[in-house]
Amino acid sequence: MCYYVGIDVAKFKHDFTIVTSDGEVILQSTTFKNDFKGFETIKDSLANLDHSQEIKIGLESTGHYHKNLVKFLTKQGYQVSILNPYLVHSFIKTRTLRKQKTDNLDCLWIAKYLQSEDFKAYQSKLYPCEELKSLTRSRNKIVRERSNQLVIVTNCLDHIFPEFRGFFDGNLSKSALVLLFEHSTVDSIKGLTAAKIQKIKDKHKGIRIGKFFDIRDTAKITIGVPNDSISFIMKQAISQIFTFDEILNSYDERISKIMDEQNSVLESIPGVGRNSASSILGEYNNFQGFPDADKLLAYAGLECSRYQSGESDYHGRMVKRGSPFLRYTLMNLAISLKNHNAVFKEYYLKKRDEGKSYRVALNHVVRKFLRVAFKLVSTNQKFNIDQ
């Protein structure tokens, strides 16, 4: 006999049901809070089971709400499986036509789904990789927020000084942002003098002022329309960008400290920067638990869908299941690899010559990278372009 424990996870409380392999419900849905006393409740209930029999626990992956409970139960020595909510929902649809959803029913269905096949038990992440996953995901959110503020600055410039970005090839460098922060109105830029420019340089180290005089002259004939409110909005956005830059520097220092200790062979691959390497290590748990490179591709949701029926057999688009952040990292990494690594550049051009579109060719670069990365990490060898 085997005990199946289905847990329905929520933010403040959880529900669980225990059934046997014979289908007997030996514990109706029980609610416990997401705190120490609550965890002791399920611990005591599990302790009352016959431990000579196998005990399997299943719960759905629910963002971060399940993580503390999983670690608690694993520490108690129990086998815990983290289930895909989509697959659980699909399982329920094949068993009933009734449209009913309650916490009591959910934990019962999870227990029944747990009986349907032999699921892999939760494997704890390597501590450095768990840290890297949290840090890189959080860092990526900050990068996106910074980009949003940069868009605001660009939109404001389109109103008050559309010619400004042309001096920086369309990109707003640190020097450009510093100038706009110190002189956020066109009238203020018009009044720039050598003394004022020198003052900016002394206050902000490392900026280039070579174009400031030309910008001043252009401000005098700009087609933009002065607007104090838009200038104010722009200055506040730039202030947030500077704050984000300081935060990102702190993140980079912490990530670099962990990566220096890991000494990962991924960084030996030309085109793989520290941010990409740390993201991949964190998301893939240093490839622990992955038997081959194909599983790495599937985990990221970058494998192609396939439809085969009778005489029909074709491959479709990427399934895009799994971590969006991991897919974003890998696809951007492919661009860097094709630009800075001769091996991957040749492979990319080969796929383009075969008629593959830009995105499809990049996907092939990702496939090749994962094969190479898996081999290097598995054998702890550095990348060698001649091999």
Side-chain angles (χ1 to χ4, degrees):
M1 186 176 72
C2 178
Y3 296 105
Y4 295 94
V5 184
I7 304 177
D8 181 59
V9 176
K11 183 174 183 178
F12 298 112
K13 58 91 177 179
H14 313 303
D15 296 271
F16 72 102
T17 293
I18 303 177
V19 301
T20 67
S21 51
D22 297 327
E24 178 187 359
V25 179
I26 63 172
L27 182 66
Q28 295 289 346
S29 177
T30 302
T31 300
F32 64 99
K33 291 185 177 181
N34 189 26
D35 57 20
F36 176 78
K37 289 185 178 180
F39 280 24
E40 287 295 309
T41 299
I42 188 172
K43 177 184 175 182
D44 293 340
S45 296
L46 295 174
N48 292 329
L49 300 177
D50 181 2
H51 281 64
S52 66
Q53 305 298 320
E54 190 174 11
I55 301 174
K56 294 185 176 181
I57 303 173
L59 47 79
E60 293 176 317
S61 174
T62 53
H64 60 273
Y65 296 124
H66 68 279
K67 291 185 177 180
N68 289 339
L69 180 58
V70 170
K71 291 178 180 178
F72 174 80
L73 294 172
T74 303
K75 190 175 181 180
Q76 304 302 317
Y78 293 107
Q79 176 182 327
V80 183
S81 298
I82 301 177
L83 310 173
N84 187 315
Y86 178 81
L87 295 179
V88 175
H89 180 67
S90 298
F91 173 81
I92 296 173
K93 289 175 66 176
T94 63
R95 296 299 190 276
T96 180
L97 295 175
R98 300 180 68 184
K99 291 186 176 182
Q100 292 186 350
K101 186 185 185 307
T102 66
D103 294 338
N104 294 346
L105 283 174
D106 285 346
C107 55
L108 179 60
W109 279 118
I110 290 171
K112 291 182 178 180
Y113 178 61
L114 197 60
Q115 299 179 61
S116 64
E117 59 181 279
D118 190 21
F119 292 96
K120 184 187 297 185
Y122 167 77
Q123 182 181 22
S124 60
K125 291 179 72 68
L126 300 173
Y127 180 69
C129 292
E130 188 170 18
E131 277 203 319
L132 286 174
K133 182 176 181 179
S134 298
L135 287 169
T136 52
R137 286 194 173 194
S138 181
R139 183 187 185 279
N140 181 64
K141 290 179 181 178
I142 295 170
V143 170
R144 289 178 179 270
E145 290 175 6
R146 183 188 185 279
S147 298
N148 291 337
Q149 296 303 314
L150 206 55
V151 170
I152 292 175
V153 175
T154 300
N155 291 341
C156 289
L157 283 172
D158 288 340
H159 284 282
I160 62 175
F161 194 176
E163 300 91 347
F164 184 89
R165 291 175 61 212
F167 288 97
F168 300 92
D169 298 324
N171 299 314
L172 294 176
S173 64
K174 179 182 177 181
S175 299
L177 292 174
V178 164
L179 174 59
L180 291 172
F181 182 77
E182 296 292 341
H183 298 272
S184 56
T185 66
V186 175
D187 287 340
S188 180
I189 296 175
K190 291 178 183 178
L192 280 175
T193 62
K196 290 181 178 180
I197 293 175
Q198 186 61 44
K199 185 177 179 181
I200 296 175
K201 185 177 181 181
D202 294 339
K203 184 178 178 181
H204 302 273
K205 304 299 181 183
I207 67 168
R208 299 179 179 180
I209 61 174
K211 300 177 180 179
F212 283 10
F213 290 105
D214 292 335
I215 293 173
R216 178 196 62 186
D217 294 339
T218 303
K220 296 176 180 179
I221 56 172
T222 180
I223 61 171
V225 179
N227 187 308
D228 289 340
S229 294
I230 290 179
S231 295
F232 172 82
I233 293 171
M234 181 177 68
K235 185 169 184 175
Q236 300 311 308
I238 295 173
S239 178
Q240 290 195 57
I241 290 172
F242 289 159
T243 300
F244 286 139
D245 286 339
E246 292 179 5
I247 296 173
L248 289 172
N249 287 335
S250 299
Y251 269 85
D252 291 340
E253 289 176 5
R254 192 168 186 87
I255 290 172
S256 291
K257 183 179 179 180
I258 298 174
M259 290 298 290
D260 287 340
E261 295 172 353
Q262 295 302 298
N263 193 26
S264 173
V265 295
L266 292 182
E267 292 189 275
S268 68
I269 305 175
V272 179
R274 174 143 288 188
N275 287 328
S276 295
S278 58
S279 298
I280 292 168
L281 287 179
E283 295 294 321
Y284 280 124
N285 195 30
N286 199 28
F287 298 165
Q288 297 292 315
F290 292 91
D292 54 55
D294 288 339
K295 295 295 188 298
L296 298 176
L297 194 73
Y299 183 78
L302 288 170
E303 63 179 350
C304 295
S305 59
R306 184 183 180 188
Y307 178 84
Q308 191 274 327
S309 177
E311 299 299 319
S312 301
D313 189 1
Y314 66 87
H315 292 79
R317 298 180 178 180
M318 292 185 298
V319 296
K320 290 188 177 180
R321 299 237 170 100
S323 168
F325 172 62
L326 180 55
R327 285 195 298 277
Y328 172 82
T329 299
L330 289 172
M331 291 301 287
N332 278 289
L333 175 60
I335 298 173
S336 178
L337 288 169
K338 78 175 182 65
N339 290 336
H340 304 289
N341 190 305
V343 173
F344 289 96
K345 181 178 182 179
E346 180 181 355
Y347 188 71
Y348 167 80
L349 293 176
K350 175 187 175 184
K351 291 302 175 181
R352 291 289 279 165
D353 289 341
E354 291 174 0
K356 307 293 185 184
S357 67
Y358 174 72
R359 295 284 295 180
V360 172
L362 286 181
N363 185 269
H364 281 278
V365 172
V366 171
R367 288 169 176 263
K368 183 177 180 66
F369 164 75
L370 289 177
R371 290 194 297 268
V372 172
F374 184 81
K375 178 67 178 296
L376 295 180
V377 173
S378 300
T379 58
N380 195 30
Q381 294 180 349
K382 292 188 175 182
F383 182 81
N384 187 341
I385 198 170
D386 296 323
Q387 291 183 345

PDB file of all heavy atoms in Angstrom, residues 18 56 69 72 115 128 132 147 189 209 219 227 240 259 265 313 358-359 368:
ATOM      1  N   ILE A  18      -5.346  12.970   2.411  1.00  0.00           N
ATOM      2  CA  ILE A  18      -4.542  11.753   2.326  1.00  0.00           C
ATOM      3  C   ILE A  18      -5.433  10.613   1.859  1.00  0.00           C
ATOM      4  O   ILE A  18      -6.491  10.354   2.440  1.00  0.00           O
ATOM      5  CB  ILE A  18      -3.908  11.392   3.679  1.00  0.00           C
ATOM      6  CG1 ILE A  18      -3.061  12.554   4.205  1.00  0.00           C
ATOM      7  CG2 ILE A  18      -3.051  10.133   3.558  1.00  0.00           C
ATOM      8  CD1 ILE A  18      -2.465  12.311   5.578  1.00  0.00           C
ATOM      9  N   LYS A  56       3.861   9.376  -0.532  1.00  0.00           N
ATOM     10  CA  LYS A  56       4.167  10.312  -1.609  1.00  0.00           C
ATOM     11  C   LYS A  56       3.337  11.576  -1.435  1.00  0.00           C
ATOM     12  O   LYS A  56       2.125  11.504  -1.221  1.00  0.00           O
ATOM     13  CB  LYS A  56       3.892   9.687  -2.980  1.00  0.00           C
ATOM     14  CG  LYS A  56       4.806   8.513  -3.318  1.00  0.00           C
ATOM     15  CD  LYS A  56       4.560   8.014  -4.727  1.00  0.00           C
ATOM     16  CE  LYS A  56       5.524   6.900  -5.106  1.00  0.00           C
ATOM     17  NZ  LYS A  56       5.310   6.433  -6.492  1.00  0.00           N
ATOM     18  N   LEU A  69       7.224  25.211   2.213  1.00  0.00           N
ATOM     19  CA  LEU A  69       6.580  23.958   2.603  1.00  0.00           C
ATOM     20  C   LEU A  69       7.337  22.762   2.045  1.00  0.00           C
ATOM     21  O   LEU A  69       7.530  21.753   2.746  1.00  0.00           O
ATOM     22  CB  LEU A  69       5.129  23.948   2.122  1.00  0.00           C
ATOM     23  CG  LEU A  69       4.311  22.700   2.457  1.00  0.00           C
ATOM     24  CD1 LEU A  69       4.266  22.472   3.966  1.00  0.00           C
ATOM     25  CD2 LEU A  69       2.895  22.819   1.892  1.00  0.00           C
ATOM     26  N   PHE A  72      10.441  22.231   4.021  1.00  0.00           N
ATOM     27  CA  PHE A  72      10.103  21.708   5.348  1.00  0.00           C
ATOM     28  C   PHE A  72       9.831  20.212   5.278  1.00  0.00           C
ATOM     29  O   PHE A  72      10.355  19.439   6.092  1.00  0.00           O
ATOM     30  CB  PHE A  72       8.883  22.458   5.897  1.00  0.00           C
ATOM     31  CG  PHE A  72       8.358  21.911   7.190  1.00  0.00           C
ATOM     32  CD1 PHE A  72       8.971  22.223   8.395  1.00  0.00           C
ATOM     33  CD2 PHE A  72       7.251  21.072   7.200  1.00  0.00           C
ATOM     34  CE1 PHE A  72       8.488  21.705   9.600  1.00  0.00           C
ATOM     35  CE2 PHE A  72       6.761  20.549   8.391  1.00  0.00           C
ATOM     36  CZ  PHE A  72       7.383  20.869   9.599  1.00  0.00           C
ATOM     37  N   GLN A 115      -1.327   9.590  -8.076  1.00  0.00           N
ATOM     38  CA  GLN A 115      -1.397   8.134  -8.257  1.00  0.00           C
ATOM     39  C   GLN A 115      -1.263   7.712  -9.713  1.00  0.00           C
ATOM     40  O   GLN A 115      -0.986   6.548  -9.995  1.00  0.00           O
ATOM     41  CB  GLN A 115      -2.730   7.600  -7.721  1.00  0.00           C
ATOM     42  CG  GLN A 115      -2.968   7.825  -6.241  1.00  0.00           C
ATOM     43  CD  GLN A 115      -4.326   7.287  -5.826  1.00  0.00           C
ATOM     44  OE1 GLN A 115      -4.614   6.103  -5.934  1.00  0.00           O
ATOM     45  NE2 GLN A 115      -5.191   8.170  -5.337  1.00  0.00           N
ATOM     46  N   PRO A 128      24.461  27.773  -4.066  1.00  0.00           N
ATOM     47  CA  PRO A 128      24.882  28.921  -4.891  1.00  0.00           C
ATOM     48  C   PRO A 128      23.949  29.147  -6.074  1.00  0.00           C
ATOM     49  O   PRO A 128      23.673  30.294  -6.438  1.00  0.00           O
ATOM     50  CB  PRO A 128      26.290  28.526  -5.350  1.00  0.00           C
ATOM     51  CG  PRO A 128      26.754  27.511  -4.365  1.00  0.00           C
ATOM     52  CD  PRO A 128      25.523  26.755  -3.992  1.00  0.00           C
ATOM     53  N   LEU A 132      21.824  32.424  -7.148  1.00  0.00           N
ATOM     54  CA  LEU A 132      21.979  33.024  -8.475  1.00  0.00           C
ATOM     55  C   LEU A 132      20.627  33.179  -9.170  1.00  0.00           C
ATOM     56  O   LEU A 132      20.371  34.193  -9.828  1.00  0.00           O
ATOM     57  CB  LEU A 132      22.917  32.180  -9.340  1.00  0.00           C
ATOM     58  CG  LEU A 132      24.402  32.261  -9.002  1.00  0.00           C
ATOM     59  CD1 LEU A 132      25.196  31.265  -9.846  1.00  0.00           C
ATOM     60  CD2 LEU A 132      24.943  33.675  -9.224  1.00  0.00           C
ATOM     61  N   SER A 147      14.692  50.314 -18.171  1.00  0.00           N
ATOM     62  CA  SER A 147      14.380  50.523 -19.587  1.00  0.00           C
ATOM     63  C   SER A 147      13.089  51.307 -19.756  1.00  0.00           C
ATOM     64  O   SER A 147      12.971  52.148 -20.662  1.00  0.00           O
ATOM     65  CB  SER A 147      14.274  49.168 -20.306  1.00  0.00           C
ATOM     66  OG  SER A 147      15.508  48.476 -20.263  1.00  0.00           O
ATOM     67  N   ILE A 189      19.788  74.551 -21.326  1.00  0.00           N
ATOM     68  CA  ILE A 189      20.851  74.049 -22.205  1.00  0.00           C
ATOM     69  C   ILE A 189      21.389  75.174 -23.085  1.00  0.00           C
ATOM     70  O   ILE A 189      22.592  75.258 -23.359  1.00  0.00           O
ATOM     71  CB  ILE A 189      20.328  72.871 -23.064  1.00  0.00           C
ATOM     72  CG1 ILE A 189      19.964  71.689 -22.167  1.00  0.00           C
ATOM     73  CG2 ILE A 189      21.367  72.447 -24.100  1.00  0.00           C
ATOM     74  CD1 ILE A 189      19.334  70.526 -22.908  1.00  0.00           C
ATOM     75  N   ILE A 209      32.365  65.430 -22.385  1.00  0.00           N
ATOM     76  CA  ILE A 209      31.675  66.707 -22.605  1.00  0.00           C
ATOM     77  C   ILE A 209      31.929  67.273 -24.004  1.00  0.00           C
ATOM     78  O   ILE A 209      31.540  68.393 -24.309  1.00  0.00           O
ATOM     79  CB  ILE A 209      32.120  67.736 -21.545  1.00  0.00           C
ATOM     80  CG1 ILE A 209      33.633  67.985 -21.653  1.00  0.00           C
ATOM     81  CG2 ILE A 209      31.746  67.248 -20.147  1.00  0.00           C
ATOM     82  CD1 ILE A 209      34.127  69.099 -20.748  1.00  0.00           C
ATOM     83  N   ALA A 219      20.316  73.525 -29.493  1.00  0.00           N
ATOM     84  CA  ALA A 219      19.174  73.855 -28.640  1.00  0.00           C
ATOM     85  C   ALA A 219      18.599  75.229 -28.992  1.00  0.00           C
ATOM     86  O   ALA A 219      17.401  75.477 -28.815  1.00  0.00           O
ATOM     87  CB  ALA A 219      19.597  73.819 -27.176  1.00  0.00           C
ATOM     88  N   ASN A 227       8.322  72.826 -22.541  1.00  0.00           N
ATOM     89  CA  ASN A 227       7.219  72.426 -21.682  1.00  0.00           C
ATOM     90  C   ASN A 227       7.801  72.060 -20.319  1.00  0.00           C
ATOM     91  O   ASN A 227       8.482  71.052 -20.180  1.00  0.00           O
ATOM     92  CB  ASN A 227       6.472  71.233 -22.288  1.00  0.00           C
ATOM     93  CG  ASN A 227       5.213  70.878 -21.527  1.00  0.00           C
ATOM     94  OD1 ASN A 227       5.229  70.701 -20.321  1.00  0.00           O
ATOM     95  ND2 ASN A 227       4.112  70.758 -22.253  1.00  0.00           N
ATOM     96  N   GLN A 240      15.474  58.294 -11.407  1.00  0.00           N
ATOM     97  CA  GLN A 240      15.216  56.871 -11.143  1.00  0.00           C
ATOM     98  C   GLN A 240      16.227  55.986 -11.858  1.00  0.00           C
ATOM     99  O   GLN A 240      16.656  54.956 -11.320  1.00  0.00           O
ATOM    100  CB  GLN A 240      13.797  56.517 -11.571  1.00  0.00           C
ATOM    101  CG  GLN A 240      12.723  57.135 -10.694  1.00  0.00           C
ATOM    102  CD  GLN A 240      11.371  56.501 -10.907  1.00  0.00           C
ATOM    103  OE1 GLN A 240      11.187  55.296 -10.757  1.00  0.00           O
ATOM    104  NE2 GLN A 240      10.398  57.323 -11.298  1.00  0.00           N
ATOM    105  N   MET A 259      29.967  33.984  -8.523  1.00  0.00           N
ATOM    106  CA  MET A 259      30.535  33.397  -9.742  1.00  0.00           C
ATOM    107  C   MET A 259      32.038  33.177  -9.616  1.00  0.00           C
ATOM    108  O   MET A 259      32.576  32.212 -10.158  1.00  0.00           O
ATOM    109  CB  MET A 259      30.226  34.302 -10.934  1.00  0.00           C
ATOM    110  CG  MET A 259      28.761  34.318 -11.328  1.00  0.00           C
ATOM    111  SD  MET A 259      28.128  32.706 -11.854  1.00  0.00           S
ATOM    112  CE  MET A 259      28.987  32.521 -13.425  1.00  0.00           C
ATOM    113  N   VAL A 265      32.890  26.894 -16.040  1.00  0.00           N
ATOM    114  CA  VAL A 265      33.500  26.744 -17.368  1.00  0.00           C
ATOM    115  C   VAL A 265      32.676  27.456 -18.434  1.00  0.00           C
ATOM    116  O   VAL A 265      33.172  27.684 -19.543  1.00  0.00           O
ATOM    117  CB  VAL A 265      33.653  25.248 -17.734  1.00  0.00           C
ATOM    118  CG1 VAL A 265      34.623  24.557 -16.797  1.00  0.00           C
ATOM    119  CG2 VAL A 265      32.294  24.535 -17.720  1.00  0.00           C
ATOM    120  N   ASP A 313       2.874  14.959 -40.939  1.00  0.00           N
ATOM    121  CA  ASP A 313       3.925  14.986 -39.919  1.00  0.00           C
ATOM    122  C   ASP A 313       4.717  16.274 -40.105  1.00  0.00           C
ATOM    123  O   ASP A 313       5.483  16.407 -41.063  1.00  0.00           O
ATOM    124  CB  ASP A 313       4.838  13.769 -40.045  1.00  0.00           C
ATOM    125  CG  ASP A 313       5.801  13.664 -38.874  1.00  0.00           C
ATOM    126  OD1 ASP A 313       5.744  14.527 -37.971  1.00  0.00           O
ATOM    127  OD2 ASP A 313       6.625  12.717 -38.849  1.00  0.00           O
ATOM    128  N   TYR A 358      15.654  34.438 -39.276  1.00  0.00           N
ATOM    129  CA  TYR A 358      16.561  34.959 -38.245  1.00  0.00           C
ATOM    130  C   TYR A 358      16.309  34.299 -36.888  1.00  0.00           C
ATOM    131  O   TYR A 358      17.234  33.793 -36.251  1.00  0.00           O
ATOM    132  CB  TYR A 358      16.374  36.476 -38.139  1.00  0.00           C
ATOM    133  CG  TYR A 358      17.138  37.134 -37.016  1.00  0.00           C
ATOM    134  CD1 TYR A 358      18.518  37.277 -37.056  1.00  0.00           C
ATOM    135  CD2 TYR A 358      16.463  37.620 -35.892  1.00  0.00           C
ATOM    136  CE1 TYR A 358      19.215  37.888 -36.021  1.00  0.00           C
ATOM    137  CE2 TYR A 358      17.137  38.238 -34.856  1.00  0.00           C
ATOM    138  CZ  TYR A 358      18.521  38.371 -34.925  1.00  0.00           C
ATOM    139  OH  TYR A 358      19.205  38.963 -33.900  1.00  0.00           O
ATOM    140  N   ARG A 359      15.051  34.268 -36.444  1.00  0.00           N
ATOM    141  CA  ARG A 359      14.720  33.711 -35.140  1.00  0.00           C
ATOM    142  C   ARG A 359      14.956  32.207 -35.088  1.00  0.00           C
ATOM    143  O   ARG A 359      15.430  31.673 -34.079  1.00  0.00           O
ATOM    144  CB  ARG A 359      13.260  34.015 -34.785  1.00  0.00           C
ATOM    145  CG  ARG A 359      12.938  35.470 -34.609  1.00  0.00           C
ATOM    146  CD  ARG A 359      13.422  36.017 -33.302  1.00  0.00           C
ATOM    147  NE  ARG A 359      12.771  35.440 -32.143  1.00  0.00           N
ATOM    148  CZ  ARG A 359      13.043  35.783 -30.896  1.00  0.00           C
ATOM    149  NH1 ARG A 359      13.978  36.694 -30.645  1.00  0.00           N
ATOM    150  NH2 ARG A 359      12.405  35.229 -29.885  1.00  0.00           N
ATOM    151  N   LYS A 368      22.763  24.400 -30.150  1.00  0.00           N
ATOM    152  CA  LYS A 368      24.183  24.035 -30.192  1.00  0.00           C
ATOM    153  C   LYS A 368      24.892  24.468 -28.903  1.00  0.00           C
ATOM    154  O   LYS A 368      25.714  23.724 -28.350  1.00  0.00           O
ATOM    155  CB  LYS A 368      24.859  24.694 -31.402  1.00  0.00           C
ATOM    156  CG  LYS A 368      26.342  24.295 -31.571  1.00  0.00           C
ATOM    157  CD  LYS A 368      26.914  24.912 -32.826  1.00  0.00           C
ATOM    158  CE  LYS A 368      28.383  24.518 -32.991  1.00  0.00           C
ATOM    159  NZ  LYS A 368      28.556  23.072 -33.222  1.00  0.00           N
TER     160      LYS A 368
END
